[in-house]
Amino acid sequence: MTNNNKAGSLTCIGTGITLAGQITTLSKNYLEQAESVFGILPDKLSEDWVKSLNPSYQSLQYLYAEGKSRRQTYQDMTEVVCQAVRDGKKVVLALYGHPGIFACVGHFAIERLKGEGYEAQMLPGVSADACLYADLGFDPGTTGCQAYEATQFLFSGVPLNTSAYTILWQIGLAGEHTLKTFKTTQDNLEATVRILNKWFPLDHEMILYEAPFIPVQSPRIDRFKLKDLPQMDLTSISTLVIPPLTGLKLDKSSLDEFGLDITDFG
Amino acid sequence: MSILNKFLTELGTNAKLLEDYKAEPVATMKAAGLNEDEIDAVQSANIAKVKELAGDGGEYPVVVHNVKEHNL
């Protein structure tokens, strides 16, 4: 429930992945009109651009620290944003990509502020997967698409649907669970191959994708075989895309539920 | 903002400039006032150098999730 006597408010916006051109018109307008702007952006170029739109911009990157739990960092970021709203300001939190995908601070702040009776909202942004569909030229609606953070998938043992596209985010951190490094290991990548080989043959084509951060960059699109994954040069922004192994088929027992027959589909 | 920084930002929002850059990158960068070092860095796709010349001191963390943050 919101309390209109509380002057402060929060709008979480996404700045997109590629510099300057992927922010929505409405998000840019909120950004320009805000009394206080906070952000978690990937580089200084992005920060300079946001500052040019609203000089009140303050980075929250300083709250990351060596040896400090990221959970605590996210809580500290949330509290900085919430306090500005409590101080009566119209606040914008600018996050790269989409503000609510693989990004918890916006969700935390909105939940907390709404609980305290403040206006708080999130506007959609251009996420890395939106760039991926455009750059790789496939429509996730054609076959279906499943997406996991790589280590989440590897540790949870969830089955894959081989008739759909598979996207594994942060493949460059596959199996990394220590919070102490931003790289994976050869052993972890070999284990990843063994797990993926439960569903895909070793010579199945995989794609490494990286969206461009600045407009003079091209997207990284490297095609290779599953067995060669441990030899690939991975970064913290590498995404593994696995095309389908099989096509979707009509299922007779499912069609029976609708009183339909396979022959109805020619 | 440096000239390079302004150029990169403009490139992200100006379709004509982007098309001009794709057709004739060096001429477009020269017309925008970029210096030889900046043009060389862009031409050689040396993104780290491009960012350095644009005043960027280095990448911020872009890792956003860790397995300990999942509901496993």
Side-chain angles (χ1 to χ4, degrees):
Chain A
M1 191 170 71
T2 59
N3 179 344
N4 290 334
N5 292 327
K6 295 192 172 183
S9 67
L10 173 65
T11 299
C12 297
I13 65 163
T15 59
I17 302 295
T18 308
L19 178 66
Q22 293 181 342
I23 189 170
T24 68
T25 306
L26 183 60
S27 293
K28 186 179 177 191
N29 196 244
Y30 269 101
L31 175 59
E32 289 168 331
Q33 295 190 21
E35 294 170 307
S36 184
V37 178
F38 297 98
I40 308 170
L41 300 173
D43 50 37
K44 191 168 175 295
L45 275 170
S46 304
E47 293 189 328
D48 285 350
W49 161 62
V50 170
K51 272 182 208 166
S52 75
L53 298 174
N54 190 320
S56 77
Y57 172 81
Q58 296 176 63
S59 172
L60 295 176
Q61 292 280 358
Y62 74 93
L63 291 166
Y64 284 111
E66 190 88 21
K68 178 180 176 183
S69 150
R70 279 214 296 279
R71 284 183 196 214
Q72 185 59 49
T73 297
Y74 299 149
Q75 288 301 328
D76 291 348
M77 289 174 169
T78 301
E79 193 49 32
V80 169
V81 171
C82 290
Q83 189 54 51
V85 174
R86 293 184 198 114
D87 290 343
K89 293 180 177 171
K90 304 288 184 196
V91 175
V92 158
L93 174 61
L95 303 166
Y96 70 95
H98 184 298
I101 299 181
F102 284 89
C104 59
V105 176
H107 289 303
F108 288 166
I110 288 171
E111 183 180 6
R112 190 172 302 175
L113 289 167
K114 281 188 170 176
E116 295 175 16
Y118 291 96
E119 295 276 358
Q121 64 174 341
M122 180 178 287
L123 301 179
V126 175
S127 55
D129 58 333
C131 299
L132 186 154
Y133 301 134
D135 289 332
L136 293 185
F138 77 87
D139 181 344
T142 303
T143 60
C145 186
Q146 58 206 324
Y148 295 99
E149 196 275 339
T151 304
Q152 177 189 41
F153 159 72
L154 293 166
F155 285 6
S156 64
V158 293
L160 289 180
N161 172 6
T162 57
S163 64
Y165 270 88
T166 302
I167 297 174
L168 296 182
W169 301 105
Q170 296 188 164
I171 190 66
L173 290 171
E176 207 296 298
H177 68 288
T178 67
L179 281 171
K180 293 177 181 171
T181 175
F182 291 133
K183 288 182 180 175
T184 187
T185 65
Q186 190 80 3
D187 286 349
N188 284 349
L189 291 174
E190 286 168 5
T192 302
V193 170
R194 288 194 296 275
I195 288 175
L196 287 174
N197 188 217
K198 292 177 185 174
W199 289 278
F200 299 98
L202 289 172
D203 62 355
H204 189 65
E205 182 183 84
M206 312 260 137
I207 303 166
L208 269 182
Y209 173 77
E210 294 177 10
F213 276 6
I214 55 178
V216 294
Q217 272 180 296
S218 298
R220 177 183 180 186
I221 302 172
D222 288 343
R223 297 175 190 274
F224 63 100
K225 293 179 177 175
L226 169 57
K227 63 185 176 188
D228 296 326
L229 177 63
Q231 282 74 55
M232 297 302 291
D233 179 24
L234 303 177
T235 76
S236 63
I237 63 165
S238 298
T239 297
L240 182 66
V241 179
I242 309 174
L245 181 63
T246 60
L248 283 172
K249 292 177 182 168
L250 291 169
D251 177 59
K252 184 175 183 316
S253 64
S254 298
L255 292 178
D256 286 346
E257 297 289 341
F258 295 90
L260 296 170
D261 188 82
I262 288 177
T263 57
D264 292 331
F265 295 85
Chain B
M1 259 197 224
S2 69
I3 290 173
L4 175 59
N5 200 327
K6 281 182 184 168
F7 174 73
L8 294 173
T9 302
E10 182 74 6
L11 209 55
T13 55
N14 182 329
K16 182 177 184 312
L17 183 67
L18 185 58
E19 291 304 314
D20 288 349
Y21 170 78
K22 286 178 183 173
E24 295 197 56
V26 174
T28 304
M29 288 189 280
K30 278 185 179 171
L34 272 62
N35 65 37
E36 292 287 322
D37 285 349
E38 293 166 338
I39 291 171
D40 285 349
V42 173
Q43 279 286 92
S44 59
N46 186 342
I47 300 304
K49 185 70 176 174
V50 171
K51 287 189 168 189
E52 181 190 325
L53 291 168
D56 205 328
E59 301 267 327
Y60 294 131
V62 291
V63 176
V64 290
H65 258 58
N66 181 276
V67 68
K68 289 179 179 172
E69 295 154 33
H70 296 308
N71 296 319
L72 285 175

